[in-house]
Amino acid sequence: MAAKRMDLNKRTFLVLSGSSNPLGQSLALEFCRRLATGSVALILDEDQQQLRELEDLLQSELKTETIKVRTGKLNDSHSNGVQLMEQALKDHFKVEGDNQRFERSIMLHNEGLAATHVLLEPQSTEDWKEYVQQQLYAPVALSQRWLQSTYLAKVEKLAVNVTSSLMVRPLVHAGLLCSCKRARDMYFRAMAAEEHRFGVHVLSFSPGLMASHRGQCDMNGNEITPAELIASKQLLQLPRIQPSQATLKLINILEEISFVSGHDVDYYDTFVL
């Protein structure tokens, strides 16, 4: 596949799932700033308080006449994301009609708190099932409906899988988590191959070791930090990344550097911001 650049200043239907961590909030703000007049942004998360705060931030930072921001509260299993997206699209076309069809749609899948607060894999069977449902099944279901939506037929699409580099740099004692992330990565690789002829582009982006990564206590009350789980000394020597840095790097890759659909890009790759 040829390298692709994207001008984000298009009339866009943007979906961001996972806004409860600082990276998700930065992604929402910076992407919305670049969208053209008539765009709609749907921000999804399970934390209602975080959604309210983010909505207030976006309303204060953005020109409300340029882009319409909607928020939707995900249920515990994140299975209602499909309904929230379909309702947002239905409401838009009910008001605007077919004359205001989108030029592009962007789906941003951010892992939310799982990216910065979950270091140890789930211990019980039920916790593991819940993690897989939220981090694999729900994003896949939402993406499939997004691809098949009649409201977005013949609209250029970009799917961005924002995930950790566990799929290629496994953590110690986290085999199940890494396996889930690898499965998610393979889904987006397959999407890139299958949907390319329909104008769909896909990128998996690893934002680096975030400054907001927190320690976590195990079942015995021992605090575990990222440094204790990462086997690579070379990786530990890399700088911690602020959310705004990761966001601007991603946008720069999309708009300036170019990317190959279906490929993985890590923040620490040799790109210049």
Side-chain angles (χ1 to χ4, degrees):
M1 296 183 186
K4 174 76 175 178
R5 287 192 184 93
M6 285 195 165
D7 177 9
L8 296 180
N9 187 231
K10 300 285 186 179
R11 189 167 62 251
T12 302
F13 178 65
L14 169 70
V15 182
L16 169 62
S17 64
S19 60
S20 55
N21 67 353
L23 177 58
Q25 295 158 24
S26 177
L27 288 168
L29 179 59
E30 296 300 336
F31 269 82
C32 286
R33 276 178 171 163
R34 288 162 173 79
L35 302 183
T37 300
S39 296
V40 175
L42 174 62
I43 313 298
L44 303 175
D45 201 85
E46 63 182 21
D47 190 323
Q48 186 66 59
Q49 181 61 33
Q50 290 282 3
L51 283 173
R52 290 196 192 98
E53 293 176 1
L54 179 56
E55 186 174 19
D56 290 342
L57 173 64
L58 294 176
Q59 294 292 347
S60 65
E61 294 287 337
L62 303 173
K63 296 178 180 179
T64 53
E65 67 272 14
T66 299
I67 178 172
K68 182 177 181 180
V69 177
R70 294 181 55 137
T71 59
K73 185 181 183 301
L74 295 171
N75 56 24
D76 291 342
S77 63
H78 294 193
S79 61
N80 65 329
V82 168
Q83 289 76 23
L84 292 169
M85 181 184 68
E86 285 291 300
Q87 190 61 52
L89 287 166
K90 182 178 179 180
D91 291 346
H92 170 77
F93 284 101
K94 183 177 180 180
V95 174
E96 302 294 341
D98 287 341
N99 293 329
Q100 286 295 318
R101 295 192 68 83
F102 298 110
E103 298 174 280
R104 179 184 292 141
S105 183
I106 299 176
M107 176 74 72
L108 282 172
H109 285 294
N110 179 43
E111 291 181 324
L113 290 179
T116 53
H117 292 65
V118 179
L119 293 177
L120 301 176
E121 61 192 18
Q123 300 298 309
S124 70
T125 302
E126 290 305 313
D127 287 344
W128 171 239
K129 288 180 179 178
E130 180 182 354
Y131 182 89
V132 176
Q133 167 62 35
Q134 291 182 359
Q135 295 298 319
L136 180 60
Y137 297 156
V140 168
L142 182 59
S143 297
Q144 286 299 111
R145 181 59 65 89
W146 173 69
L147 291 171
Q148 299 164 6
S149 175
T150 57
Y151 293 109
L152 300 173
K154 299 181 180 180
V155 174
E156 182 186 45
K157 297 179 178 68
L158 168 67
V160 181
N161 175 35
V162 183
T163 183
S164 74
S165 57
L166 293 183
M167 54 194 178
V168 291
R169 295 189 182 101
L171 292 184
V172 178
H173 308 308
L176 293 177
L177 290 184
C178 296
S179 299
C180 183
K181 294 176 191 297
R182 186 57 178 170
R184 176 167 157 163
D185 176 61
M186 184 51 67
Y187 166 75
F188 286 102
R189 284 175 176 267
M191 180 197 293
E194 293 172 358
E195 304 292 335
H196 177 71
R197 64 189 184 278
F198 300 118
V200 178
H201 310 279
V202 184
L203 175 67
S204 283
F205 177 67
S206 299
L209 190 57
M210 304 297 294
S212 53
H213 272 100
R214 297 183 180 180
Q216 182 181 348
C217 290
D218 63 15
M219 295 182 66
N220 298 317
N222 301 312
E223 184 176 2
I224 307 298
T225 66
E228 294 174 285
L229 298 180
I230 297 174
S232 169
K233 292 183 179 180
Q234 182 179 5
L235 181 59
L236 286 173
Q237 293 172 352
L238 295 172
R240 291 290 190 106
I241 309 303
Q242 296 294 335
S244 60
Q245 291 176 290
T247 299
L248 294 176
K249 185 68 165 284
L250 172 59
I251 290 173
N252 194 43
I253 291 168
L254 295 174
E255 290 196 316
E256 303 294 339
I257 296 172
S258 78
F259 66 99
V260 177
S261 184
H263 283 204
D264 305 325
V265 179
D266 193 286
Y267 180 92
Y268 299 116
D269 288 341
T270 54
F271 290 123
V272 178
L273 181 59

